[in-house]
Amino acid sequence: MRIFKSEGSRSFCSELLLVFCSCLTGLGILCLATGGYSGQVFWCYISMPKLVVLNVLPVVVFSGLFYVLIGKAWVAIAVGGSISVVMALCNYFKLVFRDDPLYFEDITLIREAINMSESYSLFVDWKIVVAVGSVVLSTLMLYILTGKETAGWKRRCVVLGVIVFTGVLACPMYKDESAYAQFDNYEQLDTRSATQLYVSHGFFYPFVHSMFRYKEVEPWGYDEAELELLLSQYDEVDIPSGQNVNIIAVMREAYADFSKYDIPGFDNSSYDLYHQLQDESYTGELFVNVFGGGTVDTERCFLTGDYVLKDFRGKTNSYVWYLKDQGYVTEGSHPFFQWFYNRRNINEFLGFSNYRFYEDTYGAMTERYFPEDSYMYEQVYQDFIANKASGNSYFSFSVTVQSHGPYPTGYRVGERQYLTGSQYSDECRTAMDNYMEVITEGDTQLLQFIHKLEVEEDPVVFVLFSDHLPWMGDGNVYYAEMGIDFSTSSEEIVRQQHTTEYLLWANNAAKKVLGNDFVGEGPTISPCYLMNILFEQCSWDGPTYMQVMDEQRKVFPVVSTVGKYVVDDVFTCEIPEERKELFSQFVCLQHYWRNKFRY
């Protein structure tokens, strides 16, 4: 049956029906956007009309474009709807299997996706049935109502014009970061997770939004051929035979040595164990990009050698890959949820073969929300011992979580008082006591771990550093009470706010193999140079990128995203004119390293 029998009698009814059916299909597809999360999220979508429109509109546009090409409404919805469903299914299965959504740039990784899909068994559930059923129902509805009528070219031009006009109006909405940040009111989702933040926006909305952040903009003066010529002047140097010692690195959450701040009434003896370890190590300071949060920034700057991070969506150059290429087994641990900062996927992109998280390991060990360091150190040690059977050298990088804030102000988790004095509020004293309780406990567990490595016959170099200073009350009010005023922007205050510490320690076996006692004072550097310091102490040249970065480090030992630098040993807020050309080369080199995978 054909309801509309001629071009003239149809008016624009076919087009209106196509829009209606596309919206119906879009709603059906929206079911898949929840992935493996609670189905209640779908009803949160429905409660926000603007969010629904931004997710349904791409389906309408897809169908409209095929209508322009073919002229048949039912074929347009069949093809456009099917493509939309396939994209949504890719996102759905990626969420279910890897807790990682589909971004625009993932389209460039089709081959990897196909290879990866062989490791999983696809399935059909009610969400898939609803999504596919919406396409089938819409196609049948349009076929019955419009038959085989084909629109003329004039009507198609009108539709194309409407699509273009709609696209021009809609693009700013999809691109707007402030508008994107408004959709986060979900009880079922934790939007600190990049994945759950994505899910909270549906599928097509965040997918289109990611198009505008797809490609990192090349810095001014970027010349790929010139950079490759620069790198070609250095040889990719292997680790010398017999010197490939085991490396265990630990980044401690919000660890700060408050004994160096001369705080009245503070028990400096709390850091005796840590200072004991410092005396036996090669130590220095890190000028980090973050303060009171942003753990992953310091972490990934260390692993990659970048001072500015990218949106990791695939394999990315890192020193982990170099070590893996040198025959190292690359593993690690973080006793928190694998979705936090999307470590489950990104650590794999950075070259880790295996990584332990709360879900697969630490959740069964403790009932604490932030598992104790003792479990992590013991697990890292056991993994190190287990690796001996492989005969391969070992690289482990782990991140603690026990000392994660905020620190309670209404009760004390221990009996010891670390901060005393009537000049402090009860909240300040309690927060500091609770912070120091977990810090001191962590130091105790750390030293026990070090003692185990000390008696090891296998050579081990241990790297320890902190991500950032701890959060201490809204507006850092407790810092102010203790005489550390971060409300001003003097050079000294900025240094205090962004400075943490690092140390390198080696057992006797490693000292003998490498001919270095690993004791002394190291330079103040940015985290992107910390692996350089490790290689330098081991007398390794490393990959070509690291060798070029060694040259850059002599001039720019501190580079940061907060606009602070150390250039030629001078702390400054801007790059001096005579160093701008060299710094431009530095920025271009970093961009190249972030975007041209070499392993």
Side-chain angles (χ1 to χ4, degrees):
M1 178 179 72
R2 292 185 303 173
I3 301 298
F4 309 110
K5 297 183 179 180
S6 69
E7 179 79 8
S9 63
R10 286 188 307 127
S11 183
F12 282 96
C13 291
S14 293
E15 290 79 0
L16 293 174
L17 284 170
L18 177 60
V19 171
F20 173 79
C21 290
S22 297
C23 291
L24 178 65
T25 300
L27 285 174
I29 290 173
L30 197 55
C31 290
L32 296 174
T34 61
Y37 295 96
S38 169
Q40 295 180 22
V41 174
F42 175 78
W43 300 110
C44 289
Y45 297 153
I46 299 300
S47 68
M48 293 180 280
K50 184 177 179 180
L51 188 69
V52 172
V53 170
L54 291 170
N55 277 281
V56 168
L57 186 58
V59 182
V60 177
V61 170
F62 268 141
S63 301
L65 289 174
F66 281 103
Y67 182 72
V68 171
L69 291 173
I70 302 168
K72 296 181 183 295
W74 71 273
V75 176
I77 191 65
V79 179
S82 295
I83 292 175
S84 300
V85 166
V86 168
M87 293 176 65
L89 283 172
C90 289
N91 179 67
Y92 181 65
F93 285 121
K94 203 161 180 277
L95 283 170
V96 171
F97 293 136
R98 295 183 61 82
D99 195 35
D100 190 35
L102 183 72
Y103 290 85
F104 178 75
E105 60 191 284
D106 293 335
I107 294 175
T108 63
L109 305 173
I110 293 176
R111 179 177 296 179
E112 292 184 24
I114 293 174
N115 292 336
M116 191 180 298
S117 66
E118 296 175 357
S119 303
Y120 304 104
S121 298
L122 303 183
F123 58 86
V124 176
D125 61 9
W126 69 268
K127 296 178 182 178
I128 297 175
V129 171
V130 170
V132 174
S134 66
V135 178
V136 174
L137 178 62
S138 296
T139 301
L140 289 175
M141 184 185 303
L142 280 176
Y143 181 78
I144 291 172
L145 295 177
T146 64
K148 300 179 180 179
E149 294 290 344
T150 302
W153 66 269
K154 291 183 180 180
R155 301 178 67 85
R156 296 192 216 178
C157 286
V158 172
V159 172
L160 180 60
V162 172
I163 291 174
V164 171
F165 180 72
T166 302
V168 171
L169 291 179
C171 275
M173 291 190 290
Y174 286 100
K175 187 177 181 180
D176 191 339
E177 290 288 349
S178 60
Y180 190 81
Q182 294 175 5
F183 299 101
D184 62 356
N185 187 24
Y186 293 80
E187 293 182 0
Q188 303 84 3
L189 299 173
D190 189 331
T191 51
R192 292 177 301 172
S193 159
T195 294
Q196 294 182 49
L197 179 63
Y198 187 109
V199 170
S200 71
H201 290 79
F203 166 56
F204 274 112
Y205 178 23
F207 179 81
V208 175
H209 181 72
S210 71
M211 293 173 61
F212 297 100
R213 300 187 299 175
Y214 163 54
K215 191 172 180 59
E216 184 181 350
V217 178
E218 293 180 354
W220 182 86
Y222 182 78
D223 187 328
E224 190 171 306
E226 185 178 305
L227 292 167
E228 290 177 346
L229 178 62
L230 172 66
L231 290 168
S232 70
Q233 298 173 22
Y234 299 81
D235 294 325
E236 189 90 359
V237 182
D238 292 335
I239 293 174
S241 177
Q243 292 187 17
N244 48 341
V245 298
N246 301 290
I247 302 168
I248 298 179
V250 172
M251 186 178 78
R252 291 201 282 184
E253 170 65 39
Y255 189 92
D257 184 356
F258 280 111
S259 67
K260 65 183 182 182
Y261 290 115
D262 193 24
I263 301 171
F266 181 70
D267 184 359
N268 291 330
S269 67
S270 312
Y271 288 97
D272 285 350
L273 288 176
Y274 175 62
H275 294 160
Q276 173 188 325
L277 181 60
Q278 282 186 314
D279 291 340
E280 302 171 3
S281 306
Y282 184 81
T283 63
E285 292 186 333
L286 285 182
F287 189 96
V288 300
N289 293 325
V290 291
F291 168 71
T295 294
V296 74
D297 188 280
T298 308
E299 170 183 347
R300 289 172 184 162
C301 286
F302 164 65
L303 295 173
T304 64
D306 288 323
Y307 91 103
V308 175
L309 300 180
K310 64 177 289 184
D311 187 10
F312 300 92
R313 298 303 310 160
K315 292 179 179 178
T316 303
N317 286 319
S318 73
Y319 296 129
V320 185
W321 282 111
Y322 171 81
L323 291 169
K324 193 171 187 177
D325 192 53
Q326 295 292 305
Y328 276 71
V329 171
T330 54
E331 296 183 337
S333 276
H334 180 52
F336 203 54
F337 300 106
Q338 60 190 12
W339 54 256
F340 201 49
Y341 289 117
N342 198 19
R343 283 188 175 93
R344 172 188 175 184
N345 297 294
I346 291 177
N347 283 357
E348 183 178 326
F349 297 153
L350 294 178
F352 287 100
S353 298
N354 182 50
Y355 218 88
R356 294 184 182 276
F357 294 102
Y358 184 91
E359 291 88 341
D360 55 39
T361 301
Y362 296 101
M365 296 179 177
T366 180
E367 295 182 353
R368 285 196 187 181
Y369 185 68
F370 295 129
E372 300 91 324
D373 291 354
S374 58
Y375 294 112
M376 191 203 77
Y377 285 124
E378 180 60 25
Q379 187 62 63
V380 169
Y381 181 71
Q382 292 302 325
D383 287 340
F384 163 67
I385 296 299
N387 178 70
K388 290 185 179 184
S390 72
N392 296 316
S393 300
Y394 193 63
F395 174 71
S396 169
F397 172 71
S398 301
V399 181
T400 69
V401 75
Q402 182 180 0
S403 50
H404 199 290
Y407 313 102
T409 58
Y411 61 92
R412 285 182 170 82
V413 296
E415 296 181 359
R416 181 177 174 181
Q417 287 187 304
Y418 298 84
L419 181 66
T420 58
S422 59
Q423 68 269 41
Y424 303 115
S425 65
D426 289 341
E427 290 80 8
C428 178
R429 287 194 298 267
T430 305
M432 275 296 289
D433 287 348
N434 288 331
Y435 171 76
M436 290 306 306
E437 185 71 21
V438 293
I439 288 297
T440 305
E441 185 178 334
D443 281 350
T444 302
Q445 299 302 323
L446 169 64
L447 266 294
Q448 291 179 8
F449 176 69
I450 290 293
H451 290 325
K452 291 181 181 179
L453 299 181
E454 197 169 24
V455 298
E456 273 293 324
E457 295 182 355
D458 289 354
V460 180
V461 174
F462 179 69
V463 182
L464 182 72
F465 62 101
S466 173
D467 52 358
H468 55 72
L469 269 62
W471 172 91
M472 280 292 166
D474 292 336
N476 301 308
V477 61
Y478 305 144
Y479 278 110
E481 285 192 45
M482 293 186 290
I484 309 171
D485 186 5
F486 287 147
S487 63
T488 61
S489 57
S490 68
E491 176 184 324
E492 181 59 29
I493 291 299
V494 171
R495 282 176 177 270
Q496 287 183 349
Q497 195 169 11
H498 291 275
T499 297
T500 67
E501 298 172 334
Y502 69 86
L503 65 80
L504 278 62
W505 174 94
N507 66 1
N508 289 329
K511 291 177 181 179
K512 183 177 180 180
V513 167
L514 298 173
N516 185 4
D517 61 5
F518 284 83
V519 175
E521 185 177 344
T524 297
I525 55 169
S526 291
C528 63
Y529 293 121
L530 182 53
M531 196 71 80
N532 296 66
I533 297 296
L534 169 63
F535 275 51
E536 182 178 79
Q537 290 298 301
C538 292
S539 298
W540 299 342
D541 292 321
T544 56
Y545 172 77
M546 175 178 279
Q547 294 175 55
V548 180
M549 285 287 284
D550 278 333
E551 295 300 316
Q552 298 281 357
R553 178 167 58 93
K554 295 174 183 177
V555 181
F556 310 111
V558 169
V559 287
S560 74
T561 58
V562 295
K564 307 298 179 185
Y565 313 90
V566 171
V567 183
D568 295 321
D569 298 324
V570 176
F571 188 84
T572 178
C573 297
E574 60 181 39
I575 304 298
E577 189 66 34
E578 66 272 16
R579 289 301 193 184
K580 284 186 176 179
E581 184 176 348
L582 183 61
F583 187 71
S584 176
Q585 182 189 74
F586 168 86
V587 172
C588 291
L589 176 66
Q590 292 241 321
H591 178 86
Y592 178 90
W593 177 250
R594 283 193 297 273
N595 294 283
K596 298 292 180 179
F597 185 67
R598 298 167 65 90
Y599 295 95

